Amino acid sequence: NAGVTQTPKFRILKIGQSMTLQCAQDMNHNYMYWYRQDPGMGLKLIYYSVGAGITDKGEVPNGYNVSRSTTEDFPLRLELAAPSQTSVYFCASGQGVGRSGNTIYFGEGSWLTVV
Amino acid sequence: AQSVSQHNHHVILSEAASLELGCNYSYGGTVNLFWYVQYPGQHLQLLLKYFSGDPLVKGIKGFEAEFIKSKFSFNLRKPSVQWSDTAEYFCAVKPNYNTDKLIFGTGTRLQVFP
């Protein structure tokens, strides 16, 4: 019963380094999302995808890139890490919040620190 | 731009006290509404949701929320809290014009003391 799986759970990066946060879901959901959570700021949408091959920007996309080559995977890439990207990152998936009764499911989060 | 406001940033209660957490949103059209809970060190879990019908929605663990359209509100309530309810609570709104993005409030941290 995996649901949404994120790796790594914790990572420390140096300024200017790059890395990819992995996200996989096994529920055959079309929709996938990346959020970041900062203290007192709630969750902000970085990027989302409505299906394989389709991605779109959310509220705070700068400094990030995504790809969606398969239904299951939605990796988030940080190209040049900056201290402002220190945050907790959550991946989520769903059938599409617009459909009545459906909701989105979150992964356990990835704690990223940029020093 | 659409926004979600949670005015209670930090709430401290004793066990058995009643709880009400406020949530207001700014979109004037039809909305879908959600409350999520995040226990310490865990991911977000859905507490309850409103799509249509009865504006009083019951969720898991004894929580309920009431959608008041005229007030643009979706307040979360629980008549008697437990220590295990200590968590952060997030209200989220999906404006119906926008297909699949949730807009989250800033969250309310609830601490319940025995």
Side-chain angles (χ1 to χ4, degrees), chain A residues 2-7 9 22-25 27 32-35 37 43 88-93 104-111, chain B residues 36 38 41-45:
Chain A
V4 180
T5 304
Q6 288 181 236
T7 56
K9 282 192 166 43
Q22 301 291 345
C23 176
Q25 53 92 9
M27 296 174 281
M32 295 188 75
Y33 313 82
W34 273 106
Y35 287 89
Q37 182 183 23
L43 280 84
V88 184
Y89 292 85
F90 287 96
C91 180
S93 74
I104 65 173
Y105 300 87
F106 286 83
E108 295 191 345
S110 296
W111 274 253
Chain B
Y36 280 85
Q38 186 179 28
Q42 297 188 25
H43 61 290
L44 279 80
Q45 301 169 48

PDB file of all heavy atoms in Angstrom, chain A residues 2-7 9 22-25 27 32-35 37 43 88-93 104-111, chain B residues 36 38 41-45:
ATOM      1  N   ALA A   2       1.677   1.463  -1.076  1.00  0.00           N
ATOM      2  CA  ALA A   2       2.708   2.490  -1.046  1.00  0.00           C
ATOM      3  C   ALA A   2       2.113   3.895  -1.127  1.00  0.00           C
ATOM      4  O   ALA A   2       2.506   4.771  -0.403  1.00  0.00           O
ATOM      5  CB  ALA A   2       3.703   2.255  -2.157  1.00  0.00           C
ATOM      6  N   GLY A   3       1.190   4.153  -2.057  1.00  0.00           N
ATOM      7  CA  GLY A   3       0.640   5.501  -2.199  1.00  0.00           C
ATOM      8  C   GLY A   3       1.623   6.395  -2.932  1.00  0.00           C
ATOM      9  O   GLY A   3       2.051   6.087  -4.037  1.00  0.00           O
ATOM     10  N   VAL A   4       2.003   7.514  -2.300  1.00  0.00           N
ATOM     11  CA  VAL A   4       2.944   8.466  -2.876  1.00  0.00           C
ATOM     12  C   VAL A   4       4.277   8.337  -2.132  1.00  0.00           C
ATOM     13  O   VAL A   4       4.302   8.485  -0.908  1.00  0.00           O
ATOM     14  CB  VAL A   4       2.418   9.900  -2.768  1.00  0.00           C
ATOM     15  CG1 VAL A   4       3.428  10.876  -3.375  1.00  0.00           C
ATOM     16  CG2 VAL A   4       1.057  10.031  -3.436  1.00  0.00           C
ATOM     17  N   THR A   5       5.316   8.043  -2.867  1.00  0.00           N
ATOM     18  CA  THR A   5       6.631   7.822  -2.263  1.00  0.00           C
ATOM     19  C   THR A   5       7.603   8.892  -2.718  1.00  0.00           C
ATOM     20  O   THR A   5       7.764   9.119  -3.919  1.00  0.00           O
ATOM     21  CB  THR A   5       7.176   6.445  -2.665  1.00  0.00           C
ATOM     22  OG1 THR A   5       6.226   5.441  -2.300  1.00  0.00           O
ATOM     23  CG2 THR A   5       8.496   6.168  -1.961  1.00  0.00           C
ATOM     24  N   GLN A   6       8.239   9.529  -1.737  1.00  0.00           N
ATOM     25  CA  GLN A   6       9.220  10.575  -2.039  1.00  0.00           C
ATOM     26  C   GLN A   6      10.589  10.167  -1.526  1.00  0.00           C
ATOM     27  O   GLN A   6      10.718   9.621  -0.436  1.00  0.00           O
ATOM     28  CB  GLN A   6       8.853  11.877  -1.307  1.00  0.00           C
ATOM     29  CG  GLN A   6       7.676  12.597  -1.819  1.00  0.00           C
ATOM     30  CD  GLN A   6       7.426  13.873  -1.029  1.00  0.00           C
ATOM     31  OE1 GLN A   6       6.337  14.056  -0.503  1.00  0.00           O
ATOM     32  NE2 GLN A   6       8.402  14.762  -0.969  1.00  0.00           N
ATOM     33  N   THR A   7      11.607  10.472  -2.329  1.00  0.00           N
ATOM     34  CA  THR A   7      12.989  10.295  -1.876  1.00  0.00           C
ATOM     35  C   THR A   7      13.835  11.453  -2.373  1.00  0.00           C
ATOM     36  O   THR A   7      13.565  12.011  -3.443  1.00  0.00           O
ATOM     37  CB  THR A   7      13.588   8.980  -2.399  1.00  0.00           C
ATOM     38  OG1 THR A   7      13.488   8.963  -3.832  1.00  0.00           O
ATOM     39  CG2 THR A   7      12.906   7.769  -1.816  1.00  0.00           C
ATOM     40  N   LYS A   9      14.353  11.641   2.005  1.00  0.00           N
ATOM     41  CA  LYS A   9      13.600  12.270   3.088  1.00  0.00           C
ATOM     42  C   LYS A   9      14.342  13.487   3.628  1.00  0.00           C
ATOM     43  O   LYS A   9      13.718  14.456   4.041  1.00  0.00           O
ATOM     44  CB  LYS A   9      13.347  11.284   4.215  1.00  0.00           C
ATOM     45  CG  LYS A   9      12.224  10.300   3.928  1.00  0.00           C
ATOM     46  CD  LYS A   9      11.803   9.535   5.142  1.00  0.00           C
ATOM     47  CE  LYS A   9      10.492   8.800   4.964  1.00  0.00           C
ATOM     48  NZ  LYS A   9      10.329   8.121   3.694  1.00  0.00           N
ATOM     49  N   GLN A  22      12.756  12.846  -6.006  1.00  0.00           N
ATOM     50  CA  GLN A  22      11.975  11.854  -6.731  1.00  0.00           C
ATOM     51  C   GLN A  22      10.595  11.705  -6.110  1.00  0.00           C
ATOM     52  O   GLN A  22      10.419  11.826  -4.904  1.00  0.00           O
ATOM     53  CB  GLN A  22      12.685  10.492  -6.709  1.00  0.00           C
ATOM     54  CG  GLN A  22      14.074  10.486  -7.308  1.00  0.00           C
ATOM     55  CD  GLN A  22      14.073  10.691  -8.820  1.00  0.00           C
ATOM     56  OE1 GLN A  22      13.043  10.577  -9.478  1.00  0.00           O
ATOM     57  NE2 GLN A  22      15.241  11.019  -9.371  1.00  0.00           N
ATOM     58  N   CYS A  23       9.607  11.446  -6.963  1.00  0.00           N
ATOM     59  CA  CYS A  23       8.251  11.188  -6.504  1.00  0.00           C
ATOM     60  C   CYS A  23       7.630  10.128  -7.393  1.00  0.00           C
ATOM     61  O   CYS A  23       7.688  10.246  -8.623  1.00  0.00           O
ATOM     62  CB  CYS A  23       7.411  12.461  -6.541  1.00  0.00           C
ATOM     63  SG  CYS A  23       5.681  12.176  -6.081  1.00  0.00           S
ATOM     64  N   ALA A  24       7.038   9.137  -6.760  1.00  0.00           N
ATOM     65  CA  ALA A  24       6.368   8.080  -7.508  1.00  0.00           C
ATOM     66  C   ALA A  24       5.056   7.741  -6.821  1.00  0.00           C
ATOM     67  O   ALA A  24       4.980   7.745  -5.596  1.00  0.00           O
ATOM     68  CB  ALA A  24       7.246   6.827  -7.584  1.00  0.00           C
ATOM     69  N   GLN A  25       4.036   7.461  -7.627  1.00  0.00           N
ATOM     70  CA  GLN A  25       2.754   7.031  -7.070  1.00  0.00           C
ATOM     71  C   GLN A  25       2.286   5.788  -7.814  1.00  0.00           C
ATOM     72  O   GLN A  25       2.510   5.639  -9.014  1.00  0.00           O
ATOM     73  CB  GLN A  25       1.707   8.162  -7.140  1.00  0.00           C
ATOM     74  CG  GLN A  25       1.501   8.797  -8.507  1.00  0.00           C
ATOM     75  CD  GLN A  25       0.416   8.175  -9.337  1.00  0.00           C
ATOM     76  OE1 GLN A  25      -0.353   7.330  -8.844  1.00  0.00           O
ATOM     77  NE2 GLN A  25       0.329   8.593 -10.590  1.00  0.00           N
ATOM     78  N   MET A  27      -1.008   4.677  -7.692  1.00  0.00           N
ATOM     79  CA  MET A  27      -2.473   4.671  -7.680  1.00  0.00           C
ATOM     80  C   MET A  27      -3.059   4.981  -9.055  1.00  0.00           C
ATOM     81  O   MET A  27      -4.261   5.208  -9.174  1.00  0.00           O
ATOM     82  CB  MET A  27      -2.949   5.705  -6.650  1.00  0.00           C
ATOM     83  CG  MET A  27      -2.520   5.327  -5.236  1.00  0.00           C
ATOM     84  SD  MET A  27      -2.914   6.598  -4.010  1.00  0.00           S
ATOM     85  CE  MET A  27      -1.587   7.771  -4.276  1.00  0.00           C
ATOM     86  N   MET A  32      -0.513  15.073 -10.662  1.00  0.00           N
ATOM     87  CA  MET A  32       0.543  15.084  -9.658  1.00  0.00           C
ATOM     88  C   MET A  32       0.995  16.514  -9.396  1.00  0.00           C
ATOM     89  O   MET A  32       0.905  17.371 -10.286  1.00  0.00           O
ATOM     90  CB  MET A  32       1.724  14.206 -10.087  1.00  0.00           C
ATOM     91  CG  MET A  32       1.350  12.726 -10.174  1.00  0.00           C
ATOM     92  SD  MET A  32       2.736  11.633 -10.455  1.00  0.00           S
ATOM     93  CE  MET A  32       3.503  11.614  -8.822  1.00  0.00           C
ATOM     94  N   TYR A  33       1.478  16.749  -8.180  1.00  0.00           N
ATOM     95  CA  TYR A  33       1.777  18.108  -7.726  1.00  0.00           C
ATOM     96  C   TYR A  33       3.054  18.115  -6.889  1.00  0.00           C
ATOM     97  O   TYR A  33       3.368  17.144  -6.211  1.00  0.00           O
ATOM     98  CB  TYR A  33       0.647  18.635  -6.821  1.00  0.00           C
ATOM     99  CG  TYR A  33      -0.752  18.429  -7.332  1.00  0.00           C
ATOM    100  CD1 TYR A  33      -1.405  17.210  -7.170  1.00  0.00           C
ATOM    101  CD2 TYR A  33      -1.442  19.465  -7.955  1.00  0.00           C
ATOM    102  CE1 TYR A  33      -2.689  17.017  -7.622  1.00  0.00           C
ATOM    103  CE2 TYR A  33      -2.749  19.276  -8.414  1.00  0.00           C
ATOM    104  CZ  TYR A  33      -3.359  18.052  -8.238  1.00  0.00           C
ATOM    105  OH  TYR A  33      -4.646  17.863  -8.692  1.00  0.00           O
ATOM    106  N   TRP A  34       3.743  19.241  -6.925  1.00  0.00           N
ATOM    107  CA  TRP A  34       4.824  19.502  -5.985  1.00  0.00           C
ATOM    108  C   TRP A  34       4.489  20.780  -5.228  1.00  0.00           C
ATOM    109  O   TRP A  34       4.232  21.831  -5.822  1.00  0.00           O
ATOM    110  CB  TRP A  34       6.169  19.679  -6.688  1.00  0.00           C
ATOM    111  CG  TRP A  34       6.897  18.398  -6.936  1.00  0.00           C
ATOM    112  CD1 TRP A  34       7.048  17.751  -8.119  1.00  0.00           C
ATOM    113  CD2 TRP A  34       7.596  17.611  -5.959  1.00  0.00           C
ATOM    114  NE1 TRP A  34       7.782  16.612  -7.945  1.00  0.00           N
ATOM    115  CE2 TRP A  34       8.138  16.503  -6.628  1.00  0.00           C
ATOM    116  CE3 TRP A  34       7.815  17.740  -4.581  1.00  0.00           C
ATOM    117  CZ2 TRP A  34       8.885  15.520  -5.987  1.00  0.00           C
ATOM    118  CZ3 TRP A  34       8.549  16.768  -3.933  1.00  0.00           C
ATOM    119  CH2 TRP A  34       9.081  15.670  -4.637  1.00  0.00           C
ATOM    120  N   TYR A  35       4.527  20.667  -3.879  1.00  0.00           N
ATOM    121  CA  TYR A  35       4.327  21.805  -3.009  1.00  0.00           C
ATOM    122  C   TYR A  35       5.576  21.997  -2.161  1.00  0.00           C
ATOM    123  O   TYR A  35       6.292  21.053  -1.863  1.00  0.00           O
ATOM    124  CB  TYR A  35       3.150  21.580  -2.055  1.00  0.00           C
ATOM    125  CG  TYR A  35       1.781  21.648  -2.667  1.00  0.00           C
ATOM    126  CD1 TYR A  35       1.179  20.509  -3.201  1.00  0.00           C
ATOM    127  CD2 TYR A  35       1.078  22.854  -2.692  1.00  0.00           C
ATOM    128  CE1 TYR A  35      -0.090  20.579  -3.756  1.00  0.00           C
ATOM    129  CE2 TYR A  35      -0.187  22.920  -3.242  1.00  0.00           C
ATOM    130  CZ  TYR A  35      -0.757  21.788  -3.763  1.00  0.00           C
ATOM    131  OH  TYR A  35      -2.019  21.862  -4.316  1.00  0.00           O
ATOM    132  N   GLN A  37       6.566  23.747   1.685  1.00  0.00           N
ATOM    133  CA  GLN A  37       5.945  24.206   2.923  1.00  0.00           C
ATOM    134  C   GLN A  37       6.981  24.945   3.736  1.00  0.00           C
ATOM    135  O   GLN A  37       8.000  24.380   4.135  1.00  0.00           O
ATOM    136  CB  GLN A  37       5.397  23.015   3.729  1.00  0.00           C
ATOM    137  CG  GLN A  37       4.689  23.445   5.005  1.00  0.00           C
ATOM    138  CD  GLN A  37       4.204  22.265   5.826  1.00  0.00           C
ATOM    139  OE1 GLN A  37       4.718  21.160   5.712  1.00  0.00           O
ATOM    140  NE2 GLN A  37       3.205  22.482   6.647  1.00  0.00           N
ATOM    141  N   LEU A  43       1.234  25.923   2.357  1.00  0.00           N
ATOM    142  CA  LEU A  43       1.790  25.196   1.222  1.00  0.00           C
ATOM    143  C   LEU A  43       1.653  26.027  -0.039  1.00  0.00           C
ATOM    144  O   LEU A  43       0.593  26.593  -0.316  1.00  0.00           O
ATOM    145  CB  LEU A  43       1.055  23.869   1.013  1.00  0.00           C
ATOM    146  CG  LEU A  43       1.476  22.732   1.933  1.00  0.00           C
ATOM    147  CD1 LEU A  43       0.754  22.817   3.253  1.00  0.00           C
ATOM    148  CD2 LEU A  43       1.193  21.394   1.267  1.00  0.00           C
ATOM    149  N   VAL A  88      10.451  22.285   3.193  1.00  0.00           N
ATOM    150  CA  VAL A  88       9.952  20.910   3.147  1.00  0.00           C
ATOM    151  C   VAL A  88       9.134  20.779   1.872  1.00  0.00           C
ATOM    152  O   VAL A  88       8.241  21.601   1.615  1.00  0.00           O
ATOM    153  CB  VAL A  88       9.083  20.564   4.363  1.00  0.00           C
ATOM    154  CG1 VAL A  88       8.666  19.104   4.312  1.00  0.00           C
ATOM    155  CG2 VAL A  88       9.831  20.872   5.649  1.00  0.00           C
ATOM    156  N   TYR A  89       9.426  19.773   1.098  1.00  0.00           N
ATOM    157  CA  TYR A  89       8.774  19.574  -0.189  1.00  0.00           C
ATOM    158  C   TYR A  89       7.837  18.375  -0.109  1.00  0.00           C
ATOM    159  O   TYR A  89       8.201  17.299   0.361  1.00  0.00           O
ATOM    160  CB  TYR A  89       9.834  19.350  -1.274  1.00  0.00           C
ATOM    161  CG  TYR A  89      10.644  20.586  -1.545  1.00  0.00           C
ATOM    162  CD1 TYR A  89      11.752  20.890  -0.758  1.00  0.00           C
ATOM    163  CD2 TYR A  89      10.301  21.468  -2.566  1.00  0.00           C
ATOM    164  CE1 TYR A  89      12.491  22.045  -0.985  1.00  0.00           C
ATOM    165  CE2 TYR A  89      11.033  22.620  -2.795  1.00  0.00           C
ATOM    166  CZ  TYR A  89      12.125  22.903  -1.999  1.00  0.00           C
ATOM    167  OH  TYR A  89      12.853  24.048  -2.214  1.00  0.00           O
ATOM    168  N   PHE A  90       6.622  18.595  -0.587  1.00  0.00           N
ATOM    169  CA  PHE A  90       5.637  17.535  -0.614  1.00  0.00           C
ATOM    170  C   PHE A  90       5.184  17.274  -2.039  1.00  0.00           C
ATOM    171  O   PHE A  90       4.815  18.198  -2.769  1.00  0.00           O
ATOM    172  CB  PHE A  90       4.399  17.896   0.223  1.00  0.00           C
ATOM    173  CG  PHE A  90       4.636  17.851   1.696  1.00  0.00           C
ATOM    174  CD1 PHE A  90       4.945  19.007   2.403  1.00  0.00           C
ATOM    175  CD2 PHE A  90       4.558  16.650   2.378  1.00  0.00           C
ATOM    176  CE1 PHE A  90       5.164  18.959   3.764  1.00  0.00           C
ATOM    177  CE2 PHE A  90       4.778  16.593   3.750  1.00  0.00           C
ATOM    178  CZ  PHE A  90       5.082  17.752   4.440  1.00  0.00           C
ATOM    179  N   CYS A  91       5.208  16.013  -2.388  1.00  0.00           N
ATOM    180  CA  CYS A  91       4.636  15.572  -3.651  1.00  0.00           C
ATOM    181  C   CYS A  91       3.224  15.050  -3.354  1.00  0.00           C
ATOM    182  O   CYS A  91       2.974  14.511  -2.273  1.00  0.00           O
ATOM    183  CB  CYS A  91       5.493  14.461  -4.249  1.00  0.00           C
ATOM    184  SG  CYS A  91       4.898  13.834  -5.826  1.00  0.00           S
ATOM    185  N   ALA A  92       2.326  15.220  -4.285  1.00  0.00           N
ATOM    186  CA  ALA A  92       0.956  14.753  -4.095  1.00  0.00           C
ATOM    187  C   ALA A  92       0.399  14.258  -5.421  1.00  0.00           C
ATOM    188  O   ALA A  92       0.887  14.636  -6.492  1.00  0.00           O
ATOM    189  CB  ALA A  92       0.080  15.866  -3.538  1.00  0.00           C
ATOM    190  N   SER A  93      -0.626  13.425  -5.321  1.00  0.00           N
ATOM    191  CA  SER A  93      -1.267  12.947  -6.554  1.00  0.00           C
ATOM    192  C   SER A  93      -2.759  12.800  -6.331  1.00  0.00           C
ATOM    193  O   SER A  93      -3.224  12.702  -5.189  1.00  0.00           O
ATOM    194  CB  SER A  93      -0.673  11.609  -7.000  1.00  0.00           C
ATOM    195  OG  SER A  93      -1.111  10.544  -6.176  1.00  0.00           O
ATOM    196  N   ILE A 104      -6.662  14.769  -3.155  1.00  0.00           N
ATOM    197  CA  ILE A 104      -5.260  14.496  -3.452  1.00  0.00           C
ATOM    198  C   ILE A 104      -4.590  13.886  -2.223  1.00  0.00           C
ATOM    199  O   ILE A 104      -4.990  14.138  -1.092  1.00  0.00           O
ATOM    200  CB  ILE A 104      -4.505  15.743  -3.949  1.00  0.00           C
ATOM    201  CG1 ILE A 104      -4.416  16.819  -2.885  1.00  0.00           C
ATOM    202  CG2 ILE A 104      -5.153  16.301  -5.182  1.00  0.00           C
ATOM    203  CD1 ILE A 104      -3.539  17.977  -3.319  1.00  0.00           C
ATOM    204  N   TYR A 105      -3.589  13.073  -2.469  1.00  0.00           N
ATOM    205  CA  TYR A 105      -2.884  12.332  -1.437  1.00  0.00           C
ATOM    206  C   TYR A 105      -1.438  12.788  -1.429  1.00  0.00           C
ATOM    207  O   TYR A 105      -0.814  12.918  -2.475  1.00  0.00           O
ATOM    208  CB  TYR A 105      -2.974  10.833  -1.711  1.00  0.00           C
ATOM    209  CG  TYR A 105      -4.389  10.335  -1.730  1.00  0.00           C
ATOM    210  CD1 TYR A 105      -5.146  10.361  -2.894  1.00  0.00           C
ATOM    211  CD2 TYR A 105      -4.993   9.869  -0.571  1.00  0.00           C
ATOM    212  CE1 TYR A 105      -6.447   9.937  -2.918  1.00  0.00           C
ATOM    213  CE2 TYR A 105      -6.302   9.429  -0.579  1.00  0.00           C
ATOM    214  CZ  TYR A 105      -7.030   9.471  -1.749  1.00  0.00           C
ATOM    215  OH  TYR A 105      -8.334   9.057  -1.765  1.00  0.00           O
ATOM    216  N   PHE A 106      -0.917  12.992  -0.226  1.00  0.00           N
ATOM    217  CA  PHE A 106       0.420  13.544  -0.075  1.00  0.00           C
ATOM    218  C   PHE A 106       1.445  12.484   0.263  1.00  0.00           C
ATOM    219  O   PHE A 106       1.146  11.504   0.950  1.00  0.00           O
ATOM    220  CB  PHE A 106       0.430  14.614   1.026  1.00  0.00           C
ATOM    221  CG  PHE A 106      -0.218  15.898   0.605  1.00  0.00           C
ATOM    222  CD1 PHE A 106      -1.588  16.054   0.674  1.00  0.00           C
ATOM    223  CD2 PHE A 106       0.544  16.949   0.131  1.00  0.00           C
ATOM    224  CE1 PHE A 106      -2.195  17.238   0.282  1.00  0.00           C
ATOM    225  CE2 PHE A 106      -0.047  18.135  -0.265  1.00  0.00           C
ATOM    226  CZ  PHE A 106      -1.413  18.275  -0.188  1.00  0.00           C
ATOM    227  N   GLY A 107       2.674  12.696  -0.199  1.00  0.00           N
ATOM    228  CA  GLY A 107       3.806  11.923   0.256  1.00  0.00           C
ATOM    229  C   GLY A 107       4.261  12.396   1.623  1.00  0.00           C
ATOM    230  O   GLY A 107       3.698  13.336   2.193  1.00  0.00           O
ATOM    231  N   GLU A 108       5.299  11.759   2.156  1.00  0.00           N
ATOM    232  CA  GLU A 108       5.721  12.043   3.529  1.00  0.00           C
ATOM    233  C   GLU A 108       6.641  13.241   3.633  1.00  0.00           C
ATOM    234  O   GLU A 108       6.993  13.634   4.728  1.00  0.00           O
ATOM    235  CB  GLU A 108       6.385  10.810   4.129  1.00  0.00           C
ATOM    236  CG  GLU A 108       5.407   9.653   4.280  1.00  0.00           C
ATOM    237  CD  GLU A 108       5.967   8.518   5.098  1.00  0.00           C
ATOM    238  OE1 GLU A 108       7.183   8.483   5.321  1.00  0.00           O
ATOM    239  OE2 GLU A 108       5.168   7.641   5.505  1.00  0.00           O
ATOM    240  N   GLY A 109       7.032  13.810   2.530  1.00  0.00           N
ATOM    241  CA  GLY A 109       7.819  15.032   2.577  1.00  0.00           C
ATOM    242  C   GLY A 109       9.313  14.790   2.440  1.00  0.00           C
ATOM    243  O   GLY A 109       9.833  13.730   2.811  1.00  0.00           O
ATOM    244  N   SER A 110       9.978  15.796   1.910  1.00  0.00           N
ATOM    245  CA  SER A 110      11.446  15.779   1.787  1.00  0.00           C
ATOM    246  C   SER A 110      11.971  17.072   2.402  1.00  0.00           C
ATOM    247  O   SER A 110      11.595  18.153   1.963  1.00  0.00           O
ATOM    248  CB  SER A 110      11.875  15.705   0.319  1.00  0.00           C
ATOM    249  OG  SER A 110      11.458  14.505  -0.283  1.00  0.00           O
ATOM    250  N   TRP A 111      12.813  16.908   3.429  1.00  0.00           N
ATOM    251  CA  TRP A 111      13.381  18.074   4.113  1.00  0.00           C
ATOM    252  C   TRP A 111      14.683  18.461   3.436  1.00  0.00           C
ATOM    253  O   TRP A 111      15.645  17.690   3.454  1.00  0.00           O
ATOM    254  CB  TRP A 111      13.643  17.737   5.586  1.00  0.00           C
ATOM    255  CG  TRP A 111      12.473  17.942   6.481  1.00  0.00           C
ATOM    256  CD1 TRP A 111      12.300  18.933   7.388  1.00  0.00           C
ATOM    257  CD2 TRP A 111      11.313  17.107   6.593  1.00  0.00           C
ATOM    258  NE1 TRP A 111      11.097  18.784   8.033  1.00  0.00           N
ATOM    259  CE2 TRP A 111      10.471  17.679   7.575  1.00  0.00           C
ATOM    260  CE3 TRP A 111      10.883  15.939   5.945  1.00  0.00           C
ATOM    261  CZ2 TRP A 111       9.244  17.122   7.928  1.00  0.00           C
ATOM    262  CZ3 TRP A 111       9.666  15.383   6.288  1.00  0.00           C
ATOM    263  CH2 TRP A 111       8.869  15.982   7.274  1.00  0.00           C
TER     264      TRP A 111
ATOM    265  N   TYR B  36      -7.158  19.730   5.865  1.00  0.00           N
ATOM    266  CA  TYR B  36      -6.120  18.728   6.009  1.00  0.00           C
ATOM    267  C   TYR B  36      -5.478  18.867   7.385  1.00  0.00           C
ATOM    268  O   TYR B  36      -5.393  19.962   7.939  1.00  0.00           O
ATOM    269  CB  TYR B  36      -5.032  18.903   4.945  1.00  0.00           C
ATOM    270  CG  TYR B  36      -5.387  18.331   3.589  1.00  0.00           C
ATOM    271  CD1 TYR B  36      -6.115  19.087   2.677  1.00  0.00           C
ATOM    272  CD2 TYR B  36      -4.989  17.057   3.223  1.00  0.00           C
ATOM    273  CE1 TYR B  36      -6.432  18.572   1.423  1.00  0.00           C
ATOM    274  CE2 TYR B  36      -5.302  16.536   1.977  1.00  0.00           C
ATOM    275  CZ  TYR B  36      -6.024  17.294   1.089  1.00  0.00           C
ATOM    276  OH  TYR B  36      -6.336  16.787  -0.139  1.00  0.00           O
ATOM    277  N   GLN B  38      -1.909  17.781   9.666  1.00  0.00           N
ATOM    278  CA  GLN B  38      -0.530  17.304   9.604  1.00  0.00           C
ATOM    279  C   GLN B  38      -0.040  17.069  11.019  1.00  0.00           C
ATOM    280  O   GLN B  38       0.231  18.027  11.761  1.00  0.00           O
ATOM    281  CB  GLN B  38       0.352  18.325   8.884  1.00  0.00           C
ATOM    282  CG  GLN B  38       1.783  17.839   8.657  1.00  0.00           C
ATOM    283  CD  GLN B  38       2.610  18.872   7.922  1.00  0.00           C
ATOM    284  OE1 GLN B  38       2.370  20.071   8.012  1.00  0.00           O
ATOM    285  NE2 GLN B  38       3.613  18.412   7.183  1.00  0.00           N
ATOM    286  N   GLY B  41       5.768  15.633  12.258  1.00  0.00           N
ATOM    287  CA  GLY B  41       6.662  14.772  11.501  1.00  0.00           C
ATOM    288  C   GLY B  41       6.007  13.935  10.433  1.00  0.00           C
ATOM    289  O   GLY B  41       6.651  13.069   9.836  1.00  0.00           O
ATOM    290  N   GLN B  42       4.726  14.189  10.168  1.00  0.00           N
ATOM    291  CA  GLN B  42       4.015  13.370   9.177  1.00  0.00           C
ATOM    292  C   GLN B  42       3.545  14.212   7.994  1.00  0.00           C
ATOM    293  O   GLN B  42       3.646  15.436   7.984  1.00  0.00           O
ATOM    294  CB  GLN B  42       2.827  12.666   9.822  1.00  0.00           C
ATOM    295  CG  GLN B  42       3.219  11.682  10.900  1.00  0.00           C
ATOM    296  CD  GLN B  42       2.034  10.867  11.376  1.00  0.00           C
ATOM    297  OE1 GLN B  42       1.051  10.686  10.646  1.00  0.00           O
ATOM    298  NE2 GLN B  42       2.124  10.378  12.594  1.00  0.00           N
ATOM    299  N   HIS B  43       2.990  13.524   6.996  1.00  0.00           N
ATOM    300  CA  HIS B  43       2.485  14.230   5.832  1.00  0.00           C
ATOM    301  C   HIS B  43       1.037  14.668   6.066  1.00  0.00           C
ATOM    302  O   HIS B  43       0.438  14.327   7.086  1.00  0.00           O
ATOM    303  CB  HIS B  43       2.573  13.329   4.599  1.00  0.00           C
ATOM    304  CG  HIS B  43       1.763  12.079   4.721  1.00  0.00           C
ATOM    305  ND1 HIS B  43       2.090  11.048   5.568  1.00  0.00           N
ATOM    306  CD2 HIS B  43       0.639  11.689   4.092  1.00  0.00           C
ATOM    307  CE1 HIS B  43       1.218  10.081   5.454  1.00  0.00           C
ATOM    308  NE2 HIS B  43       0.320  10.438   4.572  1.00  0.00           N
ATOM    309  N   LEU B  44       0.519  15.415   5.135  1.00  0.00           N
ATOM    310  CA  LEU B  44      -0.852  15.903   5.252  1.00  0.00           C
ATOM    311  C   LEU B  44      -1.848  14.777   4.991  1.00  0.00           C
ATOM    312  O   LEU B  44      -1.688  13.972   4.084  1.00  0.00           O
ATOM    313  CB  LEU B  44      -1.114  17.023   4.255  1.00  0.00           C
ATOM    314  CG  LEU B  44      -0.619  18.397   4.662  1.00  0.00           C
ATOM    315  CD1 LEU B  44       0.858  18.541   4.396  1.00  0.00           C
ATOM    316  CD2 LEU B  44      -1.400  19.489   3.938  1.00  0.00           C
ATOM    317  N   GLN B  45      -2.906  14.774   5.807  1.00  0.00           N
ATOM    318  CA  GLN B  45      -3.975  13.799   5.621  1.00  0.00           C
ATOM    319  C   GLN B  45      -5.298  14.553   5.553  1.00  0.00           C
ATOM    320  O   GLN B  45      -5.491  15.550   6.246  1.00  0.00           O
ATOM    321  CB  GLN B  45      -4.030  12.832   6.804  1.00  0.00           C
ATOM    322  CG  GLN B  45      -2.748  12.062   7.044  1.00  0.00           C
ATOM    323  CD  GLN B  45      -2.777  11.337   8.369  1.00  0.00           C
ATOM    324  OE1 GLN B  45      -3.755  10.667   8.685  1.00  0.00           O
ATOM    325  NE2 GLN B  45      -1.717  11.464   9.148  1.00  0.00           N
TER     326      GLN B  45
END
